[in-house]
Structures are given as C-alpha cells and as structure tokens.
C-alpha cells in the first residue's frame, strides 16, 4: 500500500501536479519513514543490463524520496503569520517543544526569527500564513531570506547545524561581555539578555511604541558606564588618530604569475587604520601616595587638597593621621607554633628584599627593574674590545639574562605578537560578520533562552568564491567574539565545510 | 498540459521543437506539437542562486539535460538528518545558463502583485479545498474503522469462539459507529506544499520573464560556461567540486551510481597559473584517485572548441 502510494505520488509529480488528493492525504499516515541506504558506486559504465537495472532502481528510490510531500496532522501544526514589515513570524497558536530553544516574546506575542520559522516549516512543525493563505516552502525561502535577515548560504548553515542537533541563534555583538567584565568573571546579567531580545526588534520603526510598555529598565545599570571607563588597559585609551596604511604593492609589475583574485569586490585595497595610543593621562611621578601603613605613619600629616578640586566654598585643612590610625587594628598577630617555625626558617635562609637600602629608595616598579639591570651589568664589566668597540655590537651579554625567554627577547628583532593585540582599534568590517552562536547539542535539555551561557563556537559564513579571511579579518572577528572561538563555515553548492584558526605560540623557554 | 501557447513563444521554440520533435514522435504518445508545448522548467532565484522546486522539473532536467545539481533542503520524510536532503535543488550558474539558452527553463518571478479580486478568489478556493478534504477524510476514516471492526468480527466468527451475545455487541458497535463517528478537525491530514502551487503553468507568465537572467558575465564565468557546455555535450555529468579544489567533478555516468573520473579546472588560454597551484591540485587529484583536467576554451568565437590537458603524476626512478 505504501509503495503504491509512493509510486502514485511520483507519477503525479511527473505531471507537475503537486497537490495531494484527500485520500492520499489520509493514507499518508501509513507511509514508510525509512530512508533506503545507498549502495556502493561503480567505477566504469559498461552498459550492461545489471548496471542499468541498478541505476533505474536507485533513480526510482531517489525520485520517490524527492517527490514526497509533507503531510501533517492539523493538530500537530502551530499556526503563525509572516509580518514582512518587521521581518518576523508571529505565532497564533501556542508554541510546541521547539520553544525551549527557539523564538522570543515580543509585545506579549510569541515570535520567531525568519530562519527559525523556515526551519520549522521544513520540519513540518509550523504552518506560516500570509494574507490568509499558507506559504509553501518555496515562498518561505523567497520571502524570508534576504540580505537584511539571513542569506541563503547562512540559512543552509543554520539548517545543517540544527538538523545535527545544535542550538543556533543569532549573534548580537552587544551581548558579548567586555574584557574587564570577563576578568571580573561577571555573569551575564539579565538586562544584557533582555537587551539582546530588544535589539532584535529595533530594526523596525513600528516596534518602538512597544518598548515603552515594558517594565524592564531601558537604561543600563552600573555595569554599563563602568565598562566604558575601564575597558582594557587604561594606557591604551580610545582616542583615535588617523594613520595611513602602507599602500599594497600592487604597482610593481614583476613578471610573476598573478595572485588568485577572482572575487569581484576588490576591497582588499589600502584602508586607513584608526587608533593610536594617546599620551598617558596621568603622570605618576607627580602623584604621591602617602605611606600610611608603617610605624612612621602616626606622625605623618596629609596636606590639604587643592581648592580647585573641592566643590563650592568647602575648606579642608591638613589631616593628622594619628587619630585615624587608632581606629585601625594594629594589634600584633599571634602566630601559631607552626607559623613561627616557618618564619624562623624564612629568616634564616631568605633575605627580605626590603632590607636592601637601595631597593627601599625605589619608589615604583620601573625604578626597581632599572636597579636590577644596573647591578647585573656591573657584575659583568669586562667587555672585549673586538666586540664592543666596532660599529656592530652584541645584542646581549653573558649574565645579563637569567632565562632563555629573556635572552630570546633581548636578541629578537621581530617582536612576537598575539592575535588580539591592537584588535580593538580595527574598524568594523562589512563583508565579514559573525552571524550565529552555536551551543552544544547535549545542553538542549537544560538550555534556557534567558541564560544561554557561553556558546560552543560562533559561526561566520562565507563561500569558496570569495576571499580567504586575512589576518585583519581574523583579528577583528576574534576580538568581537571575546573568548569564544570563531568557526568559518564555507558553503559550496550545498556542501558545508568548517574551518577554524587557532593561535599558536612557539615555546620560548626550556626547563 | 492543455494550455495554449501564444504565437511568439512557439516561434522561439522552433529550433528546439524541430530537433526534439523527431525523437519524441516515436517515443511519446503525444504529438510533436504537444511536446514542444511542454511548459518550461521554473528556476527560482534566491539571492542570485538558481533553485528548482518542482519534483517533476528536477526529474526532467536530469533525464533530458543531464543537469544533476545538489539537493539542499530538508527531506520531507525525515527532516532532522543531514545524510539525505530534499528539495530545493541548487543548480550551478552554468547549468541555469544552459537551460535558459536552450529554452528549457524560465526564471520565475518571486513576488507577483496580484490584485485584490484574484487574491480573494484564491483564499476562497483554498478554504473550500480544505473543507472538501475534511469531509472526504471523515468518510475515509469511518470506512477505515468499519473495515477494522469487520475484520475483527470475521476473525471471531472463523474462530467459532464467540456466541450470540458478543456478535450482537459487535453489530451494535458497528451501527453506533455509523451514526456517531466524527473525525476531529485536529486529526485531519494537511499538506505543507514544497513548491509554490499554481503559477508557472500559465504561459503568459512564462513568456513574460523569458530573458530575465540577472547574472553578470565576466570572463571567468564565460570560461566556465563554455567548458561546462562542451563537457555536457560529450555526455558527461558534472557537479560542483569546491571541496576538491576544482571547478567541476566529471562523471562518466549518473553520479548516483558511478564515481567521478576527473576534476576539471577551468582556465582561459592566456591565464598564468602559478606552479605551486599546479602541484597542489595534482597532488590532491592523486590523493583522491581522480585525474585533473585543465580545460581552456579556444578563443575562436562562441562555438569554439575546448582544449583539455590532463595531469598525471609520473615517477622517474
């Protein structure tokens, strides 16, 4: 019965009539759900009968599978409507199991992104209507996929990963925690996640009215402003200065075979780089930090602050530290016996750095390192004339460096760098962008859309027709992605290959 | 199949029709004129990529033009796996160009602006079809249940294990089924169409979008197209070979049953290829046990021949 049905369907599909009759719809429940296994291929076509029958059989199976239409129970289908103005699909009946990993709420309604809706249409879970008529899969592809939403290649990668079981959602650069937040190991706040969901709506003008109704605070809490001040290292501030790149060596017509550059967009020309470390805002030599911890502190007096720093008519005089110090706990520590023993060992064999008078004279790290360097140099004073009196002198001296790594640093002409160095100053790229976050399949059971946690990887989609990502692209994308590795999905005519680039440091120390 | 084709459309198909008519007369029961009146295959463009949606179209282009393509959608029978995919079929730019050149296909408009009236009619038609389907399925479901009950009754009768009491009970059940059974609406089976229903058969639409091919033809795609056309003309089946570092994989027979023999790389006659690229592709070819073909069309006009060179790794011992 099932095969007869299948043959009838295939025959009808041949005549290009793809609508099933009610009896075919009814009997579709008894269709087989198995996919026939493809046998071994042969090497040469010999024209033999056996080959012909084999081929015919394979082809017939193939057409049966290809021509089969999706038939679902009406009760299993979730109804939805396509809203082209917002580029969203709004559900009209309650969502099913897919709600755990897909979709979001907007103005009280459950919504799906276009790629999620299209995937669910292909799985036979959702029926999307537009102007009261159901959309076919073809119309879904044509209407939902566009450069503003998700392109066909990106959708193919999305579908491929979802079919394997991964949880895939859209990447939003604003949800990536900054370097400072990561150093503090701050958990992703709820506001952040809600901001992500809000951001999805902010494309369309029509949704702005909805944002006022929600009770979630729009403004960032303390997390927001702090991160801008303390992002990264304070020395490399965000003041930008334009600085021209060296133009590429495209002018020289050396007789070499040309590089492969069949991609049409010749955007790999010189681009101006922005960003330059500005002058230090603070001069640490002028700022003094009084010593309030030692025994002399009781006698110190803090000078009055500069009246320019004080508000209004406030007048502050000198501050005597004695009274404040009585409030500190200056009781002597009572060490246990073991601790006393340890202290005795330390005193016998180790010498405290602070006993050295010259060290005490240093007021910061830089001076201390200078002192150490000076001492080392004094230790090896003999310098052979044939090495040191000529134009070219050695890069290092014996005894100057204490480890292989230091020696390599002394003699290295090309400084090694790491991938994220100066990556924050790179301008935004328009051709390359991270499009999806991908979460592991085994987390599906406890996956929460509000707290998805860190993704397994982030996906960037490209094709073999386009350029290979260069160092600038990789730096930019790795920086955008924070600690999560970026995977490049290359789509070639339905085949998807995944590549990722890993930073590798050559070892410079030997133990 | 019954639509009338306008005069100019028949005119453009003359060459193709005349050639195919001869073979078709013997094989098909339809006449020559019917054959040349066959509706063209619909190519749908999504972001510049040509896709085929109808199963009939996919089968025709494979059987008649040797266009294989790659299926890129979910399979209807088992959508949550990647081993075997389903419609749409993604075809190469060259394959689409060839089909359009031969007049076998037409590019389908994506958003047709239909007027209010026809839209209302379409909605009504959809609703009435749904209702009709529901009623039919009710009838079928009832018959199905009756058949099951009948089978059970027959089985019991054959066993001679039942007495008058149970037989009476079964007959009562049968009659109550007849009277009171309704198929719940949620149990109705509904089709989720893959291809767009309706359009494409109407000849006015097809003629309207005849030469709507938006692809730019730069030198590289021109070279690739000429190589494709030549190899296809020799009877080989071709698919994309991005993951093999080439342009096409060349099969001696249908890719479903046979392994590829060649990896074709398309170059223009004047193009310089760096030696390290040649070495790389030759080594790749020997690793996968396929011969690498360097293909270049001779510049003598559009119908010029294509020159092939194969790379073979030979050792000098």
């Amino acid at each position: 019965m099932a095969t007869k049905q299948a043959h009838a369907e295939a025959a009808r599909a041949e005549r290009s009539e793809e609508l099933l009759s009610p009896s075919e719809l009814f009997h579709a429940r008894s269709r087989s759900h198995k996919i026939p296994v493809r046998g071994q291929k042969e090497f040469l076509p010999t024209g033999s009968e056996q080959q012909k029958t084999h081929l015919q059989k394979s082809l017939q199976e193939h057409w049966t599978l290809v021509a089969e239409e999706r038939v679902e129970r009406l009760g299993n289908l979730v109804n939805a409507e396509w809203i082209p103005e917002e580029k969203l699909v709004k559900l009209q009946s309650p969502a099913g199991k897919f709600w755990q990993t897909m979709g979001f709420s907007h103005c009280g309604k459950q919504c799906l992104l276009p790629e999620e809706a299209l995937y669910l249409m292909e799985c036979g879970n959702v029926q999307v209507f537009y102007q009261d008529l159901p959309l076919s899969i073809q119309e879904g592809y044509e209407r939902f996929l566009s450069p503003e939403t998700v392109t066909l290649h990106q959708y193919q990668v999305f579908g491929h990963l979802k079919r394997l079981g991964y949880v895939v959602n859209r990447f939003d650069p604003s949800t990536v925690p900054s370097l400072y937040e990561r150093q503090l190991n701050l958990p992703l706040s709820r506001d952040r996640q809600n901001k992500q969901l809000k951001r999805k709506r902010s494309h369309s003008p029509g949704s702005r009215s909805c944002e006022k109704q929600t009770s979630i605070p729009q403004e960032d809490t303390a997390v927001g402003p702090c991160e801008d001040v303390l992002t990264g290292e304070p020395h490399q501030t965000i003041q930008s200065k334009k600085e021209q790149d060296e133009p590429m060596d495209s002018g020289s017509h050396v007789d070499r075979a040309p590089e492969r550059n069949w991609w049409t967009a010749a955007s790999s020309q010189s681009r101006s780089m922005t960003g330059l470390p500005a002058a230090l805002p603070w001069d640490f030599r002028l700022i003094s930090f009084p010593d309030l911890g030692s025994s002399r502190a009781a006698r110190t007096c803090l000078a009055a602050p500069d009246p320019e720093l004080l508000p209004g008519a406030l007048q502050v005089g000198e501050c005597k530290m004695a009274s404040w110090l009585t409030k500190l706990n200056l009781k002597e520590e009572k060490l246990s016996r073991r601790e006393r023993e340890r202290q005795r060992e330390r005193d016998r064999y180790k010498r405290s750095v602070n006993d050295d008078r010259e060290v005490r004279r240093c007021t910061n790290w830089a001076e201390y390192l200078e002192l150490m360097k000076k001492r080392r140099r004094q230790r090896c004073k003999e310098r052979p004339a044939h090495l040191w009196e000529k134009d070219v002198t050695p890069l290092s001296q014996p005894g100057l460096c204490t480890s292989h790594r230091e020696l390599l640093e002394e003699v290295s002409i090309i400084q090694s760098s790491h991938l994220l160095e100066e990556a924050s100053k790179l301008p935004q790229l328009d051709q390359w962008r991270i499009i999806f976050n991908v979460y592991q399949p085994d987390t599906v059971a406890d996956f929460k859309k509000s707290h998805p946690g860190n993704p397994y990887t982030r996906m960037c989609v490209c094709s073999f027709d386009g350029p290979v990502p260069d160092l600038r692209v990789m730096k930019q994308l790795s920086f955008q992605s924070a600690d999560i590795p970026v995977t490049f999905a290359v789509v070639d005519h339905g085949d998807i290959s995944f590549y990722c680039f890993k930073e590798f440091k050559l070892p410079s120390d030997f133990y | 199949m019954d639509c009338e084709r306008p005069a100019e459309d028949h005119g453009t198909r003359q060459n193709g029709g005349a050639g195919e008519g001869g073979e078709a007369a013997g094989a098909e029961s339809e006449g020559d004129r019917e054959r040349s009146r066959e509706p063209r295959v619909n190519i749908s463009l999504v972001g510049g990529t040509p896709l085929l949606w109808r199963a009939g179209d996919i089968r025709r282009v494979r059987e008649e033009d040797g266009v294989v393509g790659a299926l890129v959608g979910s399979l209807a029978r088992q959508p949550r796996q990647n081993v075997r995919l389903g419609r749409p079929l993604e075809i190469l730019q060259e394959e689409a160009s060839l089909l359009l050149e031969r007049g076998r296909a037409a590019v389908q408009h994506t958003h047709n602006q239909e007027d209010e009236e026809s839209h209302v009619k379409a909605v009504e038609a959809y609703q009435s079809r749904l209702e009709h389907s529901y009623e039919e399925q009710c009838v079928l479901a009832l018959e199905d249940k009756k058949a099951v009950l009948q089978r059970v009754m027959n089985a019991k009768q054959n066993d001679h294990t039942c007495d008058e009491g149970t037989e009476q009970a079964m007959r009562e059940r049968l009659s109550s089924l007849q009277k009171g059974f309704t198929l719940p609406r949620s149990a109705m089976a509904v089709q989720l169409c893959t291809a767009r229903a309706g359009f494409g058969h109407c000849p006015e639409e097809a003629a309207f979008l005849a030469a709507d091919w938006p692809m730019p033809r730069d030198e590289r795609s021109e070279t690739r197209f000429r190589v494709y056309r030549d190899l296809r003309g020799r009877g080989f089946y071709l698919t994309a070979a991005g993951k093999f570092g080439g342009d096409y994989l060349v099969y001696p027979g249908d890719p479903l049953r046979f392994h590829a023999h060649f990896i074709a790389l398309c170059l223009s006659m004047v193009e310089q290829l760096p030696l390290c690229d040649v070495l790389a592709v030759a080594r790749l070819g020997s690793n996968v046990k396929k011969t690498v073909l360097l293909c270049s069309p001779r510049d003598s006009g559009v119908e010029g021949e294509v020159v092939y060179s194969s790379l073979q790794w030979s050792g000098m011992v």
Side-chain angles (χ1 to χ4, degrees):
Chain A
M1 181 53 152
T3 46
K4 226 170 62 176
Q5 214 57 14
H7 281 311
E9 274 192 45
R12 196 189 352 85
E14 259 189 68
R15 300 192 304 268
S16 302
E17 292 161 27
E18 301 208 326
L19 291 176
L20 299 176
S21 72
S23 86
E24 284 166 332
L25 286 175
F26 181 75
H27 290 114
R29 60 182 69 183
S30 54
R31 275 203 294 223
S32 159
H33 282 277
K34 285 217 290 243
I35 301 180
V37 178
R38 275 201 271 235
Q40 286 268 9
K41 286 202 203 180
E42 300 179 41
F43 186 67
L44 255 173
T46 57
S48 70
E49 276 309 308
Q50 191 199 31
Q51 270 192 358
K52 275 203 202 123
T53 39
H54 247 130
L55 179 61
Q56 283 311 311
K57 184 161 156 284
S58 298
L59 277 175
Q60 198 55 47
E61 272 174 8
H62 185 70
W63 298 131
T64 312
L65 280 178
V66 166
E68 215 167 61
E69 288 282 322
R70 292 167 176 83
V71 177
E72 290 290 328
R73 260 179 102 248
L74 195 59
N76 291 349
L77 286 175
V78 175
N79 289 332
E81 198 188 346
W82 165 241
I83 318 281
E85 298 81 33
E86 298 181 41
K87 302 251 192 286
L88 286 179
V89 169
K90 289 207 174 136
L91 297 183
Q92 287 164 339
S93 46
K97 252 184 19 179
F98 61 80
W99 191 249
Q100 195 189 10
T101 54
M102 295 196 263
F104 59 99
S105 288
H106 166 44
C107 292
K109 287 210 122 201
Q110 293 178 316
C111 298
L112 289 170
L113 289 172
E115 67 269 19
E116 296 172 334
L118 191 55
Y119 173 71
L120 288 170
M121 276 169 70
E122 287 200 284
C123 288
N125 292 110
V126 165
Q127 200 178 23
V128 182
F129 287 84
Y130 178 59
Q131 293 178 343
D132 300 320
L133 282 179
L135 291 176
S136 58
I137 313 270
Q138 175 178 4
E139 286 166 320
Y141 267 69
E142 289 167 359
R143 287 177 198 271
F144 297 0
L145 301 181
S146 70
E148 297 93 48
T149 55
V150 151
T151 64
L152 178 67
H153 285 326
Q154 289 168 342
Y155 175 70
Q156 284 178 353
V157 174
F158 178 85
H160 180 91
L161 292 170
K162 293 282 313 177
R163 285 191 286 266
L164 288 174
Y166 289 93
V167 176
V168 185
N169 54 29
R170 287 248 199 117
F171 173 71
D172 183 7
S174 67
T175 58
V176 176
S178 67
L179 179 63
Y180 182 63
E181 282 176 329
R182 293 203 307 277
Q183 283 174 336
L184 294 186
N185 212 11
L186 279 179
L188 280 179
S189 64
R190 268 195 174 267
D191 281 347
R192 258 279 151 80
Q193 289 307 305
N194 287 332
K195 236 177 65 166
Q196 174 192 29
L197 300 175
K198 276 205 215 355
R199 208 153 284 260
K200 285 180 193 164
R201 306 184 252 162
S202 66
H203 293 302
S204 66
S207 62
R208 295 235 185 275
S209 55
C210 257
E211 290 183 354
K212 294 182 200 133
Q213 293 165 17
T214 55
S215 53
I216 301 158
Q218 292 277 349
E219 294 304 319
D220 267 317
T221 52
V223 181
C226 283
E227 57 157 340
D228 293 323
V229 169
L230 296 162
T231 300
E233 306 85 61
H235 300 286
Q236 290 171 329
T237 47
I238 312 155
Q239 323 228 333
S240 54
K241 230 193 239 175
K242 287 232 187 298
E243 155 184 307
Q244 284 297 325
D245 242 0
E246 289 295 304
M248 281 207 331
D249 199 20
S250 49
S252 65
H253 294 290
V254 184
D255 193 22
R256 284 176 292 166
E259 296 163 28
R260 193 166 301 139
N261 54 353
W262 56 73
W263 47 89
T264 47
S267 60
S268 50
Q269 297 308 313
S270 53
R271 274 227 204 124
S272 56
M273 279 233 308
T274 57
L276 186 70
L280 290 172
W282 293 341
D283 186 1
F284 290 103
R285 286 169 297 189
L286 298 177
I287 301 175
S288 67
F289 287 92
D291 173 16
L292 297 176
S294 69
S295 48
R296 288 179 285 147
R299 282 171 267 140
T300 56
C301 259
L302 293 178
D306 190 350
E308 283 175 15
L309 299 172
L310 297 174
L314 201 62
Q315 283 184 338
V316 178
E318 275 188 357
C319 176
K320 294 209 169 47
M321 289 312 301
S323 58
W324 288 103
L325 286 173
T326 55
K327 300 196 172 136
L328 287 176
N329 177 15
L330 295 175
K331 247 187 348 184
E332 267 229 34
E333 247 185 296
K334 274 218 190 113
L335 299 168
S336 72
R337 191 165 60 106
R338 198 174 297 168
E339 286 177 341
R340 266 181 271 136
E341 276 179 20
R342 227 179 278 154
Q343 186 129 37
R344 246 179 280 140
E345 291 290 318
R346 253 182 267 144
D347 292 337
R348 203 181 305 166
Y349 294 111
K350 297 198 180 155
R351 207 160 296 174
S352 165
V353 177
N354 291 322
D355 288 337
D356 192 344
R357 215 164 12 130
E358 289 187 47
V359 172
R360 280 208 295 270
R361 237 180 276 145
C362 303
T363 53
N364 57 25
W365 265 112
E367 294 186 9
Y368 176 71
L369 288 171
E370 270 301 317
L371 176 67
M372 291 293 111
K373 232 180 177 169
K374 194 178 67 169
R375 283 188 175 168
R376 260 184 268 144
R377 255 184 251 127
Q378 282 171 344
R379 260 184 267 139
C380 32
K381 257 209 191 123
E382 300 103 21
R383 291 155 132 226
H386 67 273
L387 285 176
W388 291 99
E389 303 304 321
K390 300 269 181 63
D391 288 332
V392 180
T393 56
L395 288 167
S396 179
Q397 291 181 68
L400 195 62
C401 303
T402 51
S403 72
H404 280 101
R405 188 171 48 83
E406 276 183 40
L407 182 62
L408 285 172
E409 279 175 18
E410 286 278 312
V411 303
S412 71
I413 298 163
I414 301 170
Q415 292 293 324
S416 68
S417 165
H418 61 94
L419 186 64
L420 290 179
E421 193 167 308
E422 305 203 348
S424 53
K425 301 181 203 131
L426 291 169
Q428 280 293 322
L429 296 154
D430 22 55
Q431 274 180 315
W432 297 89
R433 49 186 266 252
I434 300 177
I435 185 77
F436 294 128
N437 295 327
V438 180
Y439 300 85
Q440 287 273 43
D442 51 2
T443 59
V444 166
D446 7 76
F447 184 81
K448 283 187 175 41
K449 283 185 288 193
S450 49
H451 280 287
N454 278 333
Y456 171 61
T457 183
R458 296 197 216 267
M459 213 44 83
C460 178
V461 177
C462 48
S463 85
F464 282 130
D465 292 330
V468 180
D470 58 7
L471 183 62
R472 181 200 297 261
V473 168
M474 290 205 285
K475 277 169 105 90
Q476 171 67 10
L477 294 182
S478 303
F479 180 72
Q480 242 192 3
S481 165
D483 287 332
I484 313 291
V486 175
T487 305
F488 290 87
V490 186
V491 182
D492 166 53
H493 206 70
D495 267 326
I496 305 177
S497 330
F498 297 97
Y499 297 94
C500 76
F501 298 91
K502 277 200 171 142
E503 196 184 358
F504 176 72
K505 262 194 145 54
L506 289 172
S508 58
D509 240 335
F510 301 94
Y511 297 104
Chain B
M1 291 302 228
D2 298 319
C3 29
E4 285 285 314
R5 298 197 87 82
E8 66 267 24
D9 197 67
H10 192 67
T12 59
R13 290 268 302 134
Q14 270 312 2
N15 298 334
E20 286 168 15
E23 316 156 35
E28 303 258 354
S29 52
E30 300 161 1
D32 295 356
R33 264 179 63 241
E34 285 290 315
R35 186 88 157 82
S36 66
R37 278 221 226 138
E38 258 179 38
R40 288 185 259 191
V41 161
N42 284 322
I43 297 180
S44 147
L45 284 179
V46 176
T49 311
L51 300 173
L52 294 182
W53 285 95
R54 293 173 179 276
D57 287 353
I58 296 174
R59 183 164 189 164
R60 272 176 57 206
V61 296
R62 192 173 186 132
E63 288 174 350
E64 293 166 16
D65 299 283
V67 167
V68 176
L71 292 167
V72 296
S74 301
L75 188 68
R77 188 177 278 198
Q78 256 193 47
R80 286 186 165 89
Q81 46 82 32
N82 271 325
V83 176
R84 243 173 141 151
L85 296 177
R87 289 181 272 162
L89 184 84
E90 187 179 321
I91 58 176
L92 299 167
Q93 303 286 349
E94 294 79 37
E95 288 170 331
S97 302
L98 194 68
L99 288 173
L100 285 171
E101 198 182 64
R102 287 189 192 166
R104 306 265 301 131
V107 175
Q108 191 172 38
H109 244 339
T110 45
H111 298 286
N112 5 21
Q113 308 296 331
E114 42 175 23
D115 54 348
E116 194 59 46
E117 204 188 298
S118 53
H119 178 73
V120 165
K121 271 203 231 149
V123 173
E124 279 175 12
Y126 165 68
Q127 299 283 5
S128 68
R129 196 168 53 237
L130 207 63
E131 275 308 311
H132 172 68
S133 173
Y134 176 61
E135 285 157 17
E136 286 276 322
Q137 287 188 39
C138 279
V139 169
L140 288 167
L142 179 60
E143 299 205 352
D144 197 48
K145 278 205 164 351
K146 279 185 358 193
V148 166
L149 211 53
Q150 196 70 41
R151 263 206 301 275
V152 169
M153 271 175 59
N154 292 345
K156 281 218 177 326
Q157 276 180 353
N158 289 343
D159 277 346
H160 302 291
T161 50
C162 70
D163 51 350
E164 274 302 312
T166 44
E167 264 201 49
Q168 183 66 18
M170 302 214 88
R171 259 181 248 126
E172 275 176 14
R173 268 180 70 184
L174 203 65
S175 60
S176 69
L177 201 67
Q178 183 87 26
K179 281 179 233 150
F181 174 76
T182 44
L183 182 74
R185 192 99 188 179
S186 64
M188 174 170 90
V190 154
Q191 177 186 3
L192 300 165
C193 290
T194 311
R196 188 199 296 229
F199 305 110
H201 284 283
C202 200
E204 290 110 39
E205 307 273 346
F208 174 66
L209 350 127
D212 205 2
W213 190 235
M215 287 318 297
R217 287 280 265 250
D218 61 344
E219 200 203 316
R220 177 158 167 80
S221 51
E222 190 64 46
T223 312
R224 280 182 60 135
F225 177 64
R226 285 174 61 187
V227 172
Y228 177 84
R229 201 172 43 183
D230 190 74
L231 282 172
R232 185 77 277 288
R234 288 165 193 262
F236 292 105
Y237 287 79
L238 298 160
T239 59
K243 54 184 183 182
F244 287 91
D247 287 314
Y248 304 116
L249 270 182
V250 185
Y251 295 81
D254 196 297
L256 217 53
R257 289 297 312 162
F258 300 102
H259 286 296
H261 283 180
F262 307 109
I263 302 173
L265 229 68
C266 302
L267 308 161
S268 73
M269 285 295 259
V270 298
E271 192 176 328
Q272 288 179 318
L273 196 64
L275 187 61
C276 48
D277 283 0
V278 176
L279 286 173
V281 81
R283 193 172 265 284
L284 194 90
S286 67
N287 269 0
V288 296
K289 299 195 188 60
K290 300 192 202 301
T291 309
V292 175
L293 277 184
L294 302 177
C295 321
S296 306
R298 259 204 237 280
D299 292 296
S300 47
V302 178
E303 294 305 320
E305 56 175 49
V306 180
V307 176
Y308 300 97
S309 319
S310 67
L311 294 180
Q312 192 182 26
W313 205 279
S314 68
M316 309 282 277
V317 182

